Amino acid sequence: MQAYGAGFARIYNLRWGSFAQQLAPRLHAYYQSTPVGQVNRKVLDLCCGTGQLAVHFLDHGYQVTGLDLSEPMLEYARANAAPYLLAGQARFVRGDAADFQLDETFGLVVSTFDALNHLPDMASLTGCFGCVFSHLAGGGIFIFDLNTRLGLKRWNSISVEDTDEMTLINRAVYDEEAGRAYTRISGFYPAGDGLYSRFEETAYNTAFDLEEVRKALLDVGFARVHFARSQDLTQPVEEPENESRIFVVASKGEL
């Protein structure tokens, strides 16, 4: 699993937390509509990043644990959720999504913004599924999104963003033979006294075969698995490989 440094974490908190903020109400509404969501108010935010999704559930009275491999990301998450940390309603811990152990179970485990594409191979992804399954309460639900192979093929691009808060340059390429997309993210942000700090990260997304993903989830013990779009998590998508991004909904029991 990839971990990110302080510069990238700062930019992520400024620039990319909005994905989780927009998605969180849909995840929340879906979970509330399920039997387990009526009784279990404990959530694990896997690869929690800077904590924006966690804060939504915290705002609605849930007990939330956030797990991420990047300590700088966790520092922002803790700052963003500071009142809930003080109240004992939240905690943020460092760990690898492919192999983690916590001392509690959850009704809902979520992982968003294609975080699990950052795992290097199917073995690591299957390891993640096993860990999630063991941390779900009876009837619990696991929801995550993946960039599909089709979506990753569109990564061949260069973009530049220049604002008062940062200068951000993205250079992305898809390696068909490796089944992996790479993006080099670099830029500058104000450091005070007219100075700027530079940062650079290279991130990758692994292209996973979605039928292999389904099979791996069923093999570790999930009872039901379907693919969906974020707009309606209840409605199965029959041809998920034709989507650029797909959400996976796996249940430990009947939905």
Side-chain angles (χ1 to χ4, degrees), residues 156-190:
N156 291 295
S157 63
I158 298 175
S159 65
V160 178
E161 180 177 344
D162 189 18
T163 69
D164 291 340
E165 294 179 318
M166 65 184 138
T167 297
L168 185 64
I169 305 167
N170 283 315
R171 287 154 288 192
V173 63
Y174 177 67
D175 184 336
E176 179 77 48
E177 184 175 349
R180 187 173 285 183
Y182 299 88
T183 182
R184 185 179 179 187
I185 306 163
S186 59
F188 302 86
Y189 58 85

Side-chain angles (χ1 to χ4, degrees), residues 126 129-130 133 212-223 225:
T126 302
F129 294 164
F133 187 83
E212 289 186 12
V213 170
R214 185 200 301 271
K215 183 178 185 301
L217 286 162
L218 294 171
D219 285 348
V220 301
F222 284 95
V225 178

